[in-house]
């Protein structure tokens, strides 16, 4: 039986890993500059946490969660996103009593049973940030600017930072009604999902990728002119701060988020280089969520980056090249050579030099082939002849130059090339 991975879930092989590591280390470094600390939560939670947190009327909760009963009949789900878990951990740990304000960054796999296509998977990875306890629009703007800076720091420039306000409990229902009425006039032109949305959650129609729906709602009334005074002031203030931070953005009133908890600020980073799955990151403000999940009435704002999509964009911009190998290969011929080499290799590795060697007594030719395959920059050859002289041959694989050194001097030699 030959097994394959589950549809929509992929392996990340060593040949691809350097882009992932770069993304992760850059995120921890950049977000650390703004005070975000790493948090790690389990990938399985009670299903109810997501139903409450994300909203029962959302696609994610309705159709896309991997949920199952465990042996003691608890209903559990693989996390489809990170925010609900992070808020749960914040409340459960009592961090809100000790710290009040908290800034977290998380990295990890998320699971949604979507229809797989380019840029959309069933297991995908996100880097996310959450700032809890802050209501001033400065934090919204700072987070948006931080995301923008993060992408630039990776070398990306093919993206647009788009912002919107989704209103609040006071003004959004009013707008929903107006927009719902508008959708009714287009009923016949809408897909079945959007027809259903008229009753459940009209705003979601803006998320629909169906070209007929996009055309039908092109002239729809927009939320921008239906915001209450507080929401409008908040939104203007976010824009003022973004200008002070020097972050370029566009206002797009058609940005709605797929998760119910967002209110006021919503934002996305989009690109035209990836086809229809064009959002590389998105987030917004979620002031009611901490309370809804059993905590105090504290505001919050956060966003999540889709790592697969960012890596695709890095590849499209030639920024995802594999790091040059820094491996040294020891080609050893015969038992005496091994005996001499083993302690040298051991101490070199402990000095921080990456070494691979032949374990199986292959011919020199086949050992050199392996060294080539792993792109070793240097090969150390110790054969019978060398052993007899107490020497090793050091071959520079790029220039093909060789030099003979005393086995006892190998450590010094590598420490020398390291500096
Ligand atoms: P969300 O958690 O839905 O707000 O999404 C945040 C970001 O995660 C999106 O902008 C995408 O970049 C990424 N994302 C969401 N769903 C998927 C998926 N199924 N496959 C790959 N990336 C995704």
């Amino acid at each position: 039986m030959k097994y394959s991975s589950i549809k929509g879930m992929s392996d990340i092989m060593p040949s691809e890993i350097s882009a992932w590591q770069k993304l992760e280390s850059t995120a921890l470094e950049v977000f650390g500059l703004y005070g975000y600390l790493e948090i790690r939560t389990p990938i399985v939670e009670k299903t109810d946490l997501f139903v409450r947190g994300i909203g029962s009327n959302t696609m994610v909760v309705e159709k896309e969660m991997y949920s199952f009963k465990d042996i003691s009949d608890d209903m559990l789900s693989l996390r489809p996103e990170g925010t609900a878990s992070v808020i749960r951990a914040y409340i459960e740990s009592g961090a809100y009593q000790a710290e009040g304000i908290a800034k977290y960054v998380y990295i990890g796999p998320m699971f949604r049973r979507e229809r797989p296509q380019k840029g959309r998977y069933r297991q995908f990875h996100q880097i996310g940030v959450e700032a809890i306890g802050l209501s001033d629009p400065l934090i919204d703007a700072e987070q948006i600017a931080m995301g923008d800076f993060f992408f630039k720091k990776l070398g990306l420039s093919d993206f647009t930072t788009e912002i919107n306000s989704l209103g609040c409990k006071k003004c959004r229902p009013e707008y929903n009604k107006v927009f719902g009425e508008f959708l009714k006039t287009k009923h016949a032109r809408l897909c079945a999902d959007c027809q259903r949305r008229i009753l459940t959650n009209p705003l979601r129609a803006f998320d629909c990728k169906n070209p007929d729906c996009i055309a039908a709602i092109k002239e729809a009334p927009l939320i921008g002119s239906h915001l209450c005074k507080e929401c409008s002031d908040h939104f203007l203030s976010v824009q003022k701060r973004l200008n002070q931070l020097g972050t370029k953005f566009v206002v797009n009133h058609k940005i709605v988020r797929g998760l119910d908890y967002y209110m006021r600020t919503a934002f996305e980073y989009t690109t035209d280089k990836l086809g229809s799955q064009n959002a590389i990151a998105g987030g917004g403000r979620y002031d009611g969520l901490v309370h809804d999940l059993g905590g105090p009435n504290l505001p919050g704002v956060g966003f999540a980056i889709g790592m697969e999509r960012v890596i695709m964009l890095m590849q499209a911009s030639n920024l995802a090249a594999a790091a040059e190998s820094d491996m040294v290969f020891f080609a050893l011929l015969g038992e005496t050579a091994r005996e001499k080499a083993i302690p040298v290799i051991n101490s070199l590795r402990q000095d921080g030099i990456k070494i691979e060697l032949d374990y199986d007594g292959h011919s020199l030719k086949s050992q050199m082939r392996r060294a080539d395959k792993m792109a070793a920059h240097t090969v150390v050859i110790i054969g019978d002849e060398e052993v007899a002289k107490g020497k090793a041959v050091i071959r520079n694989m790029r220039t093909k130059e060789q030099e003979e050194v005393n086995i006892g001097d190998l450590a010094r030699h590598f420490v020398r090339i390291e500096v």
Side-chain angles (χ1 to χ4, degrees):
M1 175 74 183
K2 201 168 155 194
Y3 293 101
S4 53
S5 67
I6 309 294
K7 189 174 169 196
M9 304 193 182
S10 304
D11 302 304
I12 302 166
M13 300 303 285
S15 58
E16 309 157 84
I17 207 74
S18 61
W20 290 81
Q21 289 170 341
K22 182 171 169 192
L23 215 56
E24 291 172 6
S25 60
T26 308
L28 293 178
E29 183 195 328
V30 169
F31 301 157
L33 295 173
Y34 292 77
Y36 291 82
L37 304 175
E38 189 179 359
I39 183 169
R40 300 182 190 193
T41 63
I43 56 167
V44 180
E45 299 272 2
K46 288 191 181 127
T47 300
D48 185 54
L49 175 75
F50 301 118
V51 176
R52 283 265 191 96
I54 300 169
S56 52
N57 261 335
T58 56
M59 287 283 277
V60 171
V61 166
E62 260 180 15
K63 292 190 182 160
E64 297 172 355
M65 283 213 292
Y66 285 92
S67 300
F68 56 95
K69 260 190 191 157
D70 84 348
I71 210 153
S72 46
D73 267 3
D74 287 329
M75 206 53 203
L76 307 178
S77 297
L78 298 186
R79 63 180 182 195
E81 56 97 57
T83 304
S85 308
V86 170
I87 302 293
R88 181 205 42 73
Y90 169 77
I91 298 168
E92 188 177 346
S93 66
Y96 67 92
Q97 284 159 331
E99 299 156 31
I101 293 161
K103 286 175 168 177
Y104 298 119
V105 49
Y106 60 86
I107 302 175
M110 307 293 159
F111 303 85
R112 295 182 197 171
R113 202 177 187 290
E114 300 197 71
R115 197 167 46 79
Q117 61 181 91
K118 185 182 161 206
R120 195 207 272 163
Y121 312 100
R122 291 181 171 177
Q123 175 176 322
F124 59 101
H125 298 76
Q126 288 185 334
I127 300 173
V129 295
E130 316 293 349
I132 308 165
L134 297 161
S135 51
D136 194 287
L138 173 58
I139 187 67
D140 310 41
E142 200 186 70
Q143 236 181 42
I144 296 166
M146 180 176 82
D148 186 272
F149 173 54
F150 167 73
F151 290 126
K152 295 209 168 108
K153 182 101 179 163
L154 286 173
L156 295 170
S157 51
D158 282 325
F159 69 92
T160 308
T161 303
E162 303 186 51
I163 66 169
N164 189 19
S165 174
L166 298 174
C168 63
K169 282 204 175 93
K170 218 162 76 188
C171 56
R172 187 158 52 186
E174 199 49 45
Y175 169 69
N176 254 335
K177 229 191 281 164
V178 173
F179 183 53
E181 287 304 319
F182 169 85
L183 282 185
K184 275 188 204 157
T185 67
K186 307 285 175 191
H187 190 273
R189 292 172 62 190
L190 301 175
C191 71
D193 277 340
C194 283
Q195 289 179 345
R196 206 165 37 87
R197 286 174 181 135
I198 297 177
L199 299 174
T200 55
N201 200 340
L203 268 184
R204 280 287 130 63
F206 283 123
D207 255 349
C208 187
K209 304 273 188 233
N210 184 315
D212 293 336
C213 296
I214 294 173
I217 62 175
K218 203 156 179 241
E219 305 299 329
L222 297 173
I223 190 151
S225 40
H226 290 81
L227 295 175
C228 64
K229 169 97 174 65
E230 288 86 346
C231 288
S232 172
D233 286 351
H234 187 97
F235 192 44
L236 286 174
S237 185
V238 171
Q239 295 176 57
K240 188 176 95 183
R241 296 294 189 211
L242 279 171
N243 287 325
Q244 287 165 352
L245 287 159
T247 302
K248 293 213 164 50
F249 62 91
V250 296
V251 171
N252 176 359
H253 287 305
K254 291 187 175 168
I255 291 183
V256 290
R257 309 283 308 132
L259 317 173
D260 256 2
Y261 48 62
Y262 290 115
M263 53 92 68
R264 287 198 177 151
T265 314
F267 55 101
E268 273 182 1
Y269 304 85
T270 57
T271 177
D272 55 12
K273 296 277 178 291
L274 296 182
S276 69
Q277 301 305 311
N278 66 343
I280 51 173
R285 179 165 278 283
Y286 50 77
D287 286 359
L289 185 63
V290 181
H291 187 254
D292 286 350
L293 295 181
N297 200 2
L298 288 173
V301 51
F303 72 94
I305 297 161
M307 294 180 75
E308 282 80 359
R309 294 186 195 175
V310 174
I311 285 171
M312 282 161 61
L313 192 58
M314 285 165 76
Q315 283 161 347
S317 319
N318 284 326
L319 294 165
E324 221 170 84
S325 164
D326 47 1
M327 193 64 89
V328 174
F329 188 87
F330 269 63
L332 305 172
L333 298 160
E335 177 54 24
T336 325
R338 284 166 172 244
E339 266 170 30
K340 294 267 185 233
I342 286 167
V344 178
I345 291 173
N346 196 36
S347 82
L348 282 174
R349 280 178 173 154
Q350 289 176 0
D351 279 345
I353 296 176
K354 291 185 188 168
I355 298 178
E356 184 53 292
L357 66 148
D358 177 69
Y359 293 95
D360 291 330
H362 286 113
S363 69
L364 180 61
K365 204 167 148 198
S366 108
Q367 293 193 40
M368 293 305 281
R369 249 201 319 266
R370 202 165 146 233
D372 250 345
K373 252 193 210 154
M374 65 180 58
H377 62 77
T378 304
V379 176
V380 176
I381 305 163
I382 309 179
D384 290 340
E385 225 177 276
E386 285 78 22
V387 168
K389 293 191 284 184
K391 301 268 183 191
V393 171
I394 298 179
R395 181 175 168 86
N396 181 321
M397 295 296 275
R398 215 166 343 109
T399 62
K400 310 290 178 216
E401 278 166 14
Q402 297 201 159
E403 81 180 280
E404 214 176 57
V405 302
N406 289 327
I407 292 181
D409 289 341
L410 272 173
R412 217 176 317 139
H413 177 87
F414 281 104
V415 174
R416 197 182 70 218
I417 52 173
E418 272 295 286
V419 284

